[in-house]
Amino acid sequence: MKLDEILAKALKDPPTPEETLLLFRKTRSYDECLKLFKTASKVREDEVGYAFKFDGFIWPVTPCTTSPPCRYCGRSAGLWGLDDPLTLDEVEVAAKFMKEIGLRRIGLGGGTVWAGAGERIIDIVRKIKSSAPFNIWINIGPSLRNEDLVKLKELGVTAVGSSLETTNPKVFKEAKPGDSLEARMRLAEEISKVGLGLFSIMMVGLGSRYEDYVEHIFWLKNFKNLTLLTVSGFNPIPGTPFEDRRPANPLEVAKTIAIARLVLRKPDISFGGVMIDWKLIPFMIMAGANRTFHLGCHVHKVGSEYQQHSPKMIEVKRHDHLEFVNMLPLTANLVKELGMEAYV
């Protein structure tokens, strides 16, 4: 089957697994990718409209007890402050900052607490809800039990994350020796059973093959509650065991986003890792993405920042040990210049 035939069909119907694998294999040159991007953009417009969503992001709200740390994670190099998460009072200050700039959606990110972090997260959600009726989603790995998920739903949380990065057991084990693919898959099932939205991440450039990407996308397609997929590009961090590996090719990340859009259709799609750069927003929009939480507004502890904020239009404030980075004056205007609505 030719590329043009698959893309023409994909305008109306999601591609099959076989057609999806062909899309990965047949879009190698830039002109072939442009055809794919055009189709993905049309599907995004038809299925989810012209709005590009910006979320606030508060991080980290939980420590990480994964041992050994994931080999690509900054924690394995002593970075990111995952052993010193934000306090309840700091989370409240962060939420008030988000409220001041008019954000409606907040993501809470952190490490996995294998003994469970339900009580702490429930307290954090209550604290945030006391500041404003935010739409809250959470991504802290397999740190939550069924009863925690039920309570979070009662408190108005809209989505919880179960991020696999890869469905290939061998690649997962090599990159995440202290983690559990099975636990993350079980968590996704529990999130679905409780009736919460599902957020997930897949990583390009970690060692997976095209066949793995197809398997991953269609595993996600089984979840009718999938609300947000982030396609991340592997970004080698100095000091980690994977520091000498090549970073993901941004074109491969964009291609994966576009193909995921054709298969999944309606869920929001974001980008991460090597793609966390405001200059790449037009590229991601071309590929079918419609949401970001890294390039909206984020709060972290001073010294654990992961985003360069050199343009003067990006607002940076500090409060004790917290740093607030508001990128919306730059990124929201950029989206509007591209003809899309910036939705915060």
Side-chain angles (χ1 to χ4, degrees), residues 24-80:
F24 275 109
R25 289 176 172 170
K26 288 179 177 291
T27 49
R28 294 183 176 178
S29 62
Y30 73 88
D31 56 330
E32 292 166 338
C33 286
L34 286 174
K35 293 179 182 179
L36 171 64
F37 294 165
K38 184 176 181 179
T39 305
S41 293
K42 183 64 168 63
V43 169
R44 180 197 59 229
E45 292 162 8
D46 291 345
E47 299 286 356
V48 299
Y50 287 85
F52 191 92
K53 301 175 183 177
F54 289 93
D55 295 15
F57 190 53
I58 300 175
W59 185 91
V61 297
T62 53
C64 188
T65 61
T66 300
S67 182
C70 299
R71 289 180 171 142
Y72 58 84
C73 176
R75 179 169 169 258
S76 65
L79 305 173
W80 291 2

Side-chain angles (χ1 to χ4, degrees), residues 197-217:
L198 173 65
F199 162 60
S200 198
I201 298 175
M202 64 181 296
M203 185 178 289
V204 173
L206 196 60
S208 300
R209 306 163 303 163
Y210 285 152
E211 289 85 353
D212 299 326
Y213 296 156
V214 173
E215 178 184 303
H216 198 154
I217 291 170

Side-chain angles (χ1 to χ4, degrees), residues 111-220:
T112 297
V113 181
W114 290 96
E119 184 176 345
R120 173 175 171 78
I121 288 298
I122 289 167
D123 287 344
I124 287 173
V125 170
R126 285 189 176 129
K127 181 71 76 172
I128 292 174
K129 289 285 188 179
S130 69
S131 300
F134 291 108
N135 176 326
I136 299 174
W137 56 267
I138 298 163
N139 187 38
I140 57 170
S143 305
L144 301 170
R145 310 293 180 253
N146 180 269
E147 56 268 27
D148 303 325
L149 298 172
V150 171
K151 186 62 179 179
L152 290 171
K153 184 181 179 183
E154 291 174 355
L155 290 172
V157 169
T158 56
V160 173
S162 182
S163 301
L164 276 59
E165 275 75 43
T166 177
T167 56
N168 183 313
K170 183 178 179 181
V171 175
F172 188 99
K173 189 66 176 177
E174 181 185 12
K176 301 164 71 68
D179 208 329
S180 169
L181 179 59
E182 294 76 13
R184 291 179 177 269
M185 287 183 163
R186 284 196 304 271
L187 175 60
E189 296 286 351
E190 290 295 326
I191 293 167
S192 180
K193 290 176 183 177
V194 168
L196 285 160
L198 173 65
F199 162 60
S200 198
I201 298 175
M202 64 181 296
M203 185 178 289
V204 173
L206 196 60
S208 300
R209 306 163 303 163
Y210 285 152
E211 289 85 353
D212 299 326
Y213 296 156
V214 173
E215 178 184 303
H216 198 154
I217 291 170
F218 277 87
W219 178 80
L220 290 168

